[in-house]
Amino acid sequence: PNLEQNLKISRSTRRPSARALSNLRCSANLKEGPSSSASSGDEVEMREGSFVVDGYRAFYVAAVPAKRKEGMDPLVLVHGLGSNSAHFSKNAQALAQATGTAVYSVDLLGFGRSVKPGNIGYNAPLWEYQLTEMIQSVIKEDKVFLAGHGIGAYICMLTAADNAKKVRGLCMLGPLGRLGVLNPTGLDIPFLRLDFVAKQLGGQLFSKYQTPEAIRKLLQEQYVDASKVDSELVSALAAPWQDAQAKIKGSEVFTGIFKSGEDRMWEQLISVDKVGFCGPLLAFWGKGDSVADPSEASVLKDLQPKAEVVMVEAGHYPHHEQPQIVNDRIARWMQTIVEEDEDFPVPRIPRYKKLELTLKNIW
């Protein structure tokens, strides 16, 4: 059965566009799917849902345990560049079972089954805004755990830094955006933002994701164990790009990656007590990661010495290549945080000190 709910979207201080939609409402459509039984006898129900952000519909999958564990906050999973919620197929249901809480996997705007609008800026502020609206309008809990992969980890960092009171813990998988830049070079090079250059590079990058054959080749290069790149995953990642209109929109999405400018560096997003998010951190790096440099784990430890770093025998996708290791570690980490229930500093930075940076990124 389909369940229609109208949920109000509260106004955000960081809008991704100049459009003022004063009475915007969010329609969250939930579609129940088949539940599966775990060894303990507890059931996890898989649901599909969507919500509207500034007129654009975004898709998500929710794994909801039949028996919810009291006090355990929901977990939101955010995919990386060129991917979608399907890349957490080995994680969402297992984590819901292990933690006793709902686990949401979202498709960022421009990816998966979420719409791919034209003429908008595909950048970090847009996706942070989407994630924040999902937390406020769909999940509606006091606190959440966030876990992101690649640029999804960076989006989670931004969201945690700007909503520190709402985030119980932050988990990062092969995180990117060290210098606040999302394009594959990791550097803010003005020449790359020129329209004709960005379109050329965006089209070339999109070509690596738009067919099943291209996706399989790319993933096999980024996994240590190429056999873990199965046909089911490849089909799920390729499906959203297969109609003609999606191919056009896909090129625009990847062009936006190159046109997006510099955002905040890690130092401005996570720390012990000065700026950004100061709460519990868990990070995974694949020892054979050719995309996210494993040596940057030391940077994270310097910024927050209590951060837990786990090195995994995997490539850029440790959560898919070694799901049991990653799932078990995340579940234990979440459980410990909830049991200890320790407070952490929430920076009180006057808004005017961030105004210039915020306006730069939005406009």
Side-chain angles (χ1 to χ4, degrees):
N2 291 325
L3 175 64
E4 285 282 351
Q5 295 176 322
N6 285 325
L7 305 172
K8 287 185 178 180
I9 287 184
S10 58
R11 292 181 66 84
S12 169
T13 57
R14 290 189 82 208
R15 306 284 295 199
S17 67
R19 288 186 302 132
L21 302 180
S22 58
N23 296 315
L24 180 65
R25 296 181 69 82
C26 167
S27 300
N29 302 324
L30 293 180
K31 179 180 178 182
E32 296 181 359
S35 59
S36 60
S37 297
S39 58
S40 66
D42 294 337
E43 293 184 343
V44 174
E45 184 177 63
M46 300 303 296
R47 303 176 184 176
E48 298 178 353
S50 64
F51 63 106
V52 176
V53 182
D54 274 8
Y56 303 126
R57 187 165 293 279
F59 176 86
Y60 65 89
V61 176
V64 183
K67 295 181 180 179
R68 301 287 294 274
K69 184 170 183 177
E70 185 177 355
M72 181 60 73
D73 304 290
L75 169 64
V76 186
L77 305 174
V78 184
H79 64 81
L81 179 65
S83 189
N84 59 54
S85 56
H87 225 140
F88 292 110
S89 61
K90 295 183 179 181
N91 312 105
Q93 188 170 329
L95 284 168
Q97 167 63 29
T99 61
T101 191
V103 178
Y104 297 82
S105 308
V106 64
D107 283 347
L108 296 175
L109 289 172
F111 299 101
R113 282 183 276 181
S114 292
V115 299
K116 303 164 180 61
N119 300 317
I120 69 168
Y122 286 101
N123 53 33
L126 170 70
W127 292 317
E128 181 199 352
Y129 177 70
Q130 177 191 351
L131 182 55
T132 301
E133 292 296 345
M134 181 179 179
I135 293 169
Q136 294 175 345
S137 305
V138 176
I139 301 176
K140 290 182 164 183
E141 297 286 350
D142 291 338
K143 290 181 180 291
V144 298
F145 286 95
L146 296 179
H149 170 258
I151 66 169
Y154 183 74
I155 302 306
C156 289
M157 284 189 207
L158 285 174
T159 306
D162 292 333
N163 303 272
K165 292 183 179 180
K166 295 284 292 182
V167 178
R168 176 80 78 167
L170 172 62
C171 174
M172 299 174 287
L173 302 142
L176 297 172
R178 166 72 183 83
L179 300 178
V181 179
L182 299 187
N183 75 59
T185 70
L187 301 173
D188 184 28
I189 305 174
F191 176 73
L192 300 184
R193 298 202 299 271
L194 295 176
D195 190 63
F196 75 95
V197 177
K199 286 182 177 179
Q200 179 69 21
L201 294 176
Q204 292 176 2
L205 183 58
F206 177 52
S207 68
K208 298 181 179 182
Y209 294 92
Q210 62 179 315
T211 68
E213 296 76 18
I215 290 176
R216 182 181 294 276
K217 181 177 183 296
L218 179 65
L219 292 182
Q220 287 178 339
E221 293 172 352
Q222 296 177 350
Y223 278 58
V224 169
D225 183 356
S227 68
K228 298 291 182 69
V229 182
D230 56 81
S231 297
E232 184 178 357
L233 173 65
V234 171
S235 297
L237 297 182
W241 307 116
Q242 295 317 296
D243 65 83
Q245 189 64 23
K247 290 183 184 296
I248 296 174
K249 296 298 183 182
S251 184
E252 293 182 9
V253 173
F254 285 84
T255 295
I257 296 295
F258 285 96
K259 295 183 76 171
S260 63
E262 182 183 16
D263 208 293
R264 283 169 282 175
M265 298 186 294
W266 287 7
E267 287 85 348
Q268 297 169 291
L269 299 176
I270 51 179
S271 70
V272 176
D273 59 3
K274 294 181 180 179
V275 297
F277 182 72
C278 307
L281 283 177
L282 173 64
F284 294 87
W285 264 274
K287 294 180 181 179
D289 195 332
S290 60
V291 181
D293 187 356
S295 67
E296 291 187 345
S298 61
V299 176
L300 184 65
K301 292 291 287 185
D302 288 341
L303 293 173
Q304 199 177 103
K306 290 186 178 180
E308 301 177 42
V309 176
V310 182
M311 307 302 291
V312 183
E313 293 291 346
H316 186 49
Y317 300 88
H319 57 291
H320 190 266
E321 198 168 351
Q322 298 284 2
Q324 185 171 351
I325 294 174
V326 172
N327 293 342
D328 289 348
R329 192 69 184 83
I330 291 177
R332 286 189 282 114
W333 172 73
M334 291 173 61
Q335 183 65 42
T336 300
I337 291 172
V338 171
E339 289 177 352
E340 295 180 351
D341 195 26
E342 294 182 359
D343 291 330
F344 56 86
V346 177
R348 298 178 178 273
I349 303 176
R351 286 181 52 77
Y352 69 84
K353 289 188 177 181
K354 295 195 295 184
L355 184 61
E356 179 181 355
L357 179 63
T358 301
L359 292 179
K360 171 187 174 183
N361 289 330
I362 294 175
W363 307 110

